[in-house]
Amino acid sequence: MKNKSRREFLKLVGVTGAGLLTGAATAKGSEGLHVNNEEIGMLYDATKCVGCKACMAACKRVNGDYGSLSYEKAKFDPDGLWDAPTDLSGSTRTLIKLFKESESRWSYVKYSCMHCQKPSCVSVCPVSAMTKDKVSGVVDYNKNTCIGCRYCQVACAFNIPKFQWEKSIPQIVKCDLCKNTNLREKGISACAEVCPVGAIKFGKRKDLLHEAKTRLRENPDKYIAHVYGEHEAGGTNHLYLASMPFNKLGLPDIKPQAPAEFSEKIQHTIYKGFIAPVALYSTLCFIAVKNMKKHDKTDDHDKRKHDGEER
């Protein structure tokens, strides 16, 4: 009776799981990319940047819970004129780098979260620790929800999110446009507020694009004729202008299609409603029931054999 009760329970769980799987399989994937130019962002003009690193200092000051002003990976350029960390890290949300081809051909470039229109980090996060604000468009991170899987690092086409390997209780670090600090108090990111030469312009994406295209039109010999981030990866809210090819500044060549379109289809089919776990559990239940039936048949055979021998 005990084995029979257990078998009935496993069958019930398996059937229930199959029902959930069938129902959840109809879940819809991504509805497609809809660019929202009302979201806020930044326009970085590399031709204006003087490499003063005021933005880096302001970022660390406003977000001081992520480490001191020390540049743990500082490295000088070949001429010994410029030092900076080699990459973003668990204590650096904003980074200014120098790229130099020759004495007459060089440029600074700013690295920080791109705040994508369709962020891959949000798409792949299994616990919604990465979120995108529906009004501002800010891509934010919740350390209290994060499970440390680091899928966001793998998914980001721009290699932005960083993990605090050195911390006993680590978390992901990335720019959030000072959402809970400077933006809330002053309506502007700290880096844009302190830039002494106006290399970082803060505002709505539509206004930033208009400003960028105006500069391109009025100074065609000054810039590469492209606004980086207008279409890359489905569009980003962190836009760039530069006089050097963007790939030479360390910005990747990315197609207009948003990588998150693909990952969201997976999230909305395989993982939505815990389809994958339910399917796995249902399969395990089926195997368990099958093995129990086989075991019961063996027991019945042994019992009949034993009864025959006693007779």
Side-chain angles (χ1 to χ4, degrees):
M1 289 294 293
K2 185 177 180 181
N3 285 341
K4 184 177 179 181
S5 299
R6 185 182 177 193
R7 183 160 53 252
E8 291 298 327
F9 169 75
L10 289 171
K11 283 182 178 180
L12 177 62
V13 172
V15 171
T16 303
L20 288 173
L21 180 61
T22 302
T26 61
K28 293 183 178 179
S30 171
E31 296 180 356
L33 178 63
H34 302 286
V35 176
N36 182 2
N37 285 326
E38 294 296 322
E39 294 178 355
I40 59 174
M42 296 182 290
L43 170 63
Y44 171 77
D45 190 334
T47 67
K48 291 177 174 289
C49 183
V50 294
C52 67
K53 293 188 277 193
C55 56
M56 292 177 63
C59 181
K60 285 184 175 288
R61 172 177 54 80
V62 170
N63 303 289
D65 56 328
Y66 288 102
S68 67
L69 287 172
S70 62
Y71 298 146
E72 66 284 352
K73 295 180 181 179
K75 181 181 179 181
F76 277 94
D77 72 289
D79 297 325
L81 300 176
W82 174 259
D83 71 308
T86 56
D87 193 6
L88 292 169
S89 70
S91 61
T92 304
R93 295 184 175 196
T94 297
L95 176 64
I96 297 292
K97 292 292 293 287
L98 171 65
F99 284 86
K100 188 174 182 180
E101 271 192 353
S102 64
E103 292 297 327
S104 60
R105 190 167 173 77
W106 54 271
S107 176
Y108 293 109
V109 63
K110 177 181 183 291
Y111 291 141
S112 62
C113 179
M114 299 297 285
H115 296 280
C116 302
Q117 285 280 318
K118 199 76 168 179
S120 294
C121 59
V122 173
S123 176
V124 302
C125 182
V127 292
S128 297
M130 287 287 185
T131 57
K132 180 179 172 70
D133 189 277
K134 293 181 179 179
V135 178
S136 67
V138 173
V139 178
D140 200 7
Y141 165 75
N142 185 345
K143 65 180 181 180
N144 298 318
T145 305
C146 181
I147 58 174
C149 67
R150 302 188 298 280
Y151 287 172
C152 55
Q153 282 191 290
V154 177
C156 180
F158 302 97
N159 192 31
I160 297 297
K162 299 301 177 185
F163 192 66
Q164 295 178 319
W165 295 100
E166 71 283 1
K167 298 292 183 68
S168 56
I169 304 178
Q171 57 187 280
I172 291 292
V173 175
K174 60 174 285 300
C175 162
D176 61 2
L177 288 180
C178 304
K179 178 181 177 181
N180 299 312
T181 52
N182 228 65
L183 182 60
R184 182 177 59 191
E185 296 168 5
K186 302 179 180 180
I188 189 173
S189 64
C191 59
E193 180 187 23
V194 301
C195 183
V197 292
I200 308 170
K201 184 177 178 64
F202 188 87
K204 289 187 176 182
R205 190 175 193 268
K206 64 178 182 181
D207 298 327
L208 298 177
L209 281 172
H210 180 267
E211 175 66 23
K213 291 179 179 181
T214 298
R215 294 183 191 182
L216 290 180
R217 185 175 61 254
E218 294 179 351
N219 303 278
D221 298 331
K222 185 178 181 180
Y223 298 101
I224 295 294
H226 178 61
V227 181
Y228 188 89
E230 180 179 9
H231 301 296
E232 279 78 6
T236 66
N237 294 340
H238 188 180
L239 306 171
Y240 288 81
L241 288 176
S243 60
M244 291 179 65
F246 295 103
N247 60 348
K248 291 188 177 182
L249 299 181
L251 295 169
D253 288 324
I254 300 178
K255 295 179 180 180
Q257 292 77 18
E261 291 289 302
F262 174 73
S263 56
E264 273 200 4
K265 287 178 182 178
I266 297 177
Q267 289 282 55
H268 284 273
T269 52
I270 297 177
Y271 290 106
K272 188 174 179 64
F274 288 97
I275 294 176
V278 168
L280 175 61
Y281 196 67
S282 299
T283 302
L284 292 175
C285 287
F286 172 76
I287 295 172
V289 170
K290 186 177 180 181
N291 288 338
M292 286 183 68
K293 285 182 177 180
K294 183 178 180 180
H295 180 70
D296 288 348
K297 287 181 180 179
T298 302
D299 287 347
D300 290 342
H301 179 268
D302 291 342
K303 185 177 180 181
R304 287 195 298 270
K305 183 179 180 181
H306 178 71
D307 289 344
E309 289 176 351
E310 286 186 344
R311 292 194 188 98

